[in-house]
Amino acid sequence: MNQFNETHDTTLRSFVESANDGITDFPIQNLPFAVFRRADSGEVFRGCVAIGDQVLDLAMLARTSVLTGDAVEACEAAAEPTLNRLMAMGQPAWSALRLALSRALRTGSPHESVVRTCLISQRDVEYAVPAHIGDYTDFYTSVYHATNIGRLFRPDNPLLPNYKWVPIGYHGRASSVAVSGQTFPRPVGQILPPGASEPVLAPSKRMDYELELGIFIGQGNALGSRVTIARAESHVFGVCLLNDWSARDLQAWEYQPLGPFLSKSFATTISPWIVTLEALAPYRSAWTRNAHDPQPLPYLDSPENRELGAFDIQLEVLIETSVMREQAQPPQRLCLTSYRHAYWTLAQLVTHHTVNGCNLQPGDLLGTGTLSGPTATEAGALIELTAGGKQPVALTSGESRTFLEDGDAVILRAHCEKPGAIRIGFGQSSGRISPAVAL
Ligand code: CA
């Protein structure tokens, strides 16, 4: 687990003034990574870090003599069109680059004039999926979500007996993971109408979002080897926002016995920014397991995981309908919760994923599963907020929703703040549904 170091110093300020206003997602203590180019430029994508309202172009920085030592090779790797090579280099390289970038961007940096030539306004750039994602696995780590969903799908048996022993997951679809700004057509699929005995092929009528975090794997593990819980976090490059769009009517018909398939694989939207575990160090929290619940098997347990394995990341879902856009209304919040409520930690997910010898690779993406919290207003999906579509949510625009309609955009945001630490954020993940493609 990352210890505190000079990059976490709360007195640090940047010569990029917008990084110092106390409300930005991107102060100098954060320095999340993304892949970008100038908007509509046809340029090659390359890595960057966020600082205030700017991006620091790491390809341009790599061509200067600002960096020295281990940070040089890490910056060259980060200058590529995907971050996979940087991810593969491992935690010491990520940490060396973070330290060097922190020093280069500080007030009083001797390199200020050169570094300024590598800054581009975030208003003028576009982003890509930050890594080649070889494999995407989605977990189910909120016991509140699992219980709420289970109650809707199986009223008599909401939480299956394996849930409290094994981190449940399934293999998702990597090819349809896209970066914030994604628009996708409403999926079509097999649906069993209420009361019918045979399915029809139709556009989904029960489109939903899922509030999740995405965990990007850094260094992988060899096929046949396993990652111990003590080493698990050293294999994690960082964390992004993830919306696992879900067609509930397709899901209800197809999910037994092998789990979700076409109800999930049409689109997944992630934020451009990956916040490193090192940046999240001030926001670690204790992970606890109710004494009445089964305690984790030894391979999923450690004193360190119990002491600091959870992260207090504030998570938010907002909706913006076509009407809200036309009337210039701001998006409306649907949910506010925290990642600290997760039943399993990210270290436990990595360890469990590899316990059978499965090889994780740099750039692999793990979804946490919908991160619903303990109270009704902390539900991370519409199916929970509306009790399966029975209780519509009223919107400030005068509309209401049970499930999403064409033109609806869903925006995920996250940030961390507490006394004695600098607020950091994740930017946002925004995606929009367009009408179904005609059959
Ligand atoms: Ca999910």
Side-chain angles (χ1 to χ4, degrees):
M1 289 184 183
N2 289 306
Q3 299 298 309
F4 288 99
N5 56 48
E6 68 175 72
T7 67
H8 301 100
D9 184 343
T10 57
T11 66
L12 286 183
R13 296 293 179 270
S14 174
F15 58 78
V16 180
E17 265 308 310
S18 57
N20 305 325
D21 64 9
I23 55 170
T24 177
D25 278 355
F26 307 124
I28 194 168
Q29 289 82 0
N30 192 352
L31 303 178
F33 289 87
V35 156
F36 86 105
R37 66 182 177 189
R38 284 184 176 77
D40 307 316
S41 67
E43 291 175 352
V44 175
F45 282 99
R46 64 272 190 188
C48 65
V49 293
I51 181 76
D53 61 7
Q54 307 286 302
V55 303
L56 176 62
D57 182 338
L58 296 178
M60 205 178 284
L61 189 70
R63 292 194 289 272
T64 71
S65 53
V66 166
L67 303 184
T68 56
D70 294 342
V72 173
E73 194 188 342
C75 189
E76 286 168 355
E80 295 181 4
T82 67
L83 297 177
N84 293 71
R85 191 159 76 85
L86 176 67
M87 291 168 162
M89 289 174 76
Q91 206 275 327
W94 314 330
S95 201
L97 181 56
R98 172 180 164 87
L99 176 61
L101 296 175
S102 171
R103 288 176 175 170
L105 285 163
R106 282 175 204 174
T107 303
S109 162
H111 304 293
E112 175 177 338
S113 59
V114 179
V115 173
R116 278 191 184 279
T117 67
C118 306
L119 295 173
I120 303 171
S121 171
Q122 288 168 21
R123 283 191 303 275
D124 299 331
V125 308
E126 61 189 13
Y127 303 98
V129 173
H132 169 72
I133 302 168
D135 279 296
Y136 160 47
T137 303
D138 199 21
F139 283 94
Y140 201 47
T141 65
S142 164
V143 70
Y144 307 105
H145 174 70
T147 305
N148 293 341
I149 288 281
R151 196 171 285 129
L152 294 168
F153 282 61
R154 294 177 305 277
D156 50 333
N157 188 19
L159 197 65
L160 296 173
N162 58 0
Y163 186 86
K164 292 186 172 180
W165 291 99
V166 56
I168 301 293
Y170 69 94
H171 289 292
R173 182 76 195 168
S175 67
S176 52
V177 178
V179 77
S180 181
Q182 178 180 30
T183 296
F184 61 89
R186 177 176 295 271
V188 166
Q190 281 200 25
I191 296 165
L192 188 68
S197 57
E198 293 182 3
V200 297
L201 185 70
S204 171
K205 294 180 182 62
R206 291 164 70 90
M207 267 300 301
D208 203 352
Y209 55 83
E210 291 192 337
L211 167 63
E212 304 196 19
L213 291 171
I215 299 160
F216 270 104
I217 296 299
Q219 271 185 320
N221 61 295
L223 182 60
S225 72
R226 59 179 75 104
V227 177
T228 64
I229 193 149
R231 294 281 306 154
E233 285 192 357
S234 69
H235 289 261
V236 173
F237 179 73
V239 180
C240 66
L241 292 160
L242 187 151
N243 185 345
D244 177 23
W245 301 98
S246 299
R248 300 299 184 195
D249 36 10
L250 276 61
Q251 185 179 357
W253 173 237
E254 76 176 4
Y255 87 104
Q256 288 182 321
L258 288 185
F261 178 36
L262 301 182
S263 56
K264 304 275 193 173
S265 60
F266 54 90
T268 303
T269 310
I270 61 173
S271 60
W273 299 107
I274 307 173
V275 177
T276 62
L277 290 198
E278 192 169 358
L280 290 167
Y283 297 101
R284 289 177 170 280
S285 64
W287 175 82
T288 53
R289 175 57 54 85
N290 188 321
H292 302 296
D293 277 3
Q295 299 305 298
L297 293 179
Y299 79 100
L300 292 175
D301 206 354
S302 74
E304 295 77 17
N305 188 62
R306 286 182 183 257
E307 189 184 351
L308 287 170
F311 292 87
D312 189 12
I313 301 172
Q314 311 300 314
L315 305 161
E316 188 179 13
V317 180
L318 304 100
I319 187 170
E320 182 189 64
T321 67
S322 303
V323 170
M324 291 175 180
R325 271 193 299 279
E326 285 159 15
Q327 299 179 354
Q329 295 181 25
Q332 179 178 343
R333 180 191 287 169
L334 294 175
C335 159
L336 185 66
T337 184
S338 169
Y339 182 40
R340 74 174 183 277
H341 301 303
Y343 199 78
W344 301 101
T345 66
L346 59 81
Q348 288 169 324
L349 301 186
V350 170
T351 297
H352 183 66
H353 205 309
T354 62
V355 71
N356 66 344
C358 173
N359 52 328
L360 296 175
Q361 302 188 88
D364 279 1
L365 181 64
L366 313 185
T368 56
T370 309
L371 293 171
S372 300
T375 67
T377 56
E378 292 177 90
L382 272 177
I383 192 171
E384 294 171 70
L385 283 178
T386 67
K390 292 197 252 325
Q391 297 166 13
V393 174
L395 302 180
T396 49
S397 55
E399 305 168 275
S400 68
R401 288 290 182 274
T402 48
F403 291 97
L404 297 170
E405 297 190 4
D406 293 346
D408 285 354
V410 174
I411 300 159
L412 309 184
R413 291 182 188 151
H415 73 277
C416 305
E417 63 183 334
K418 70 175 190 184
I422 299 291
R423 179 195 192 281
I424 63 173
F426 285 67
Q428 68 177 32
S429 164
S430 174
R432 194 193 296 187
I433 302 172
S434 59
V437 176
L439 286 166

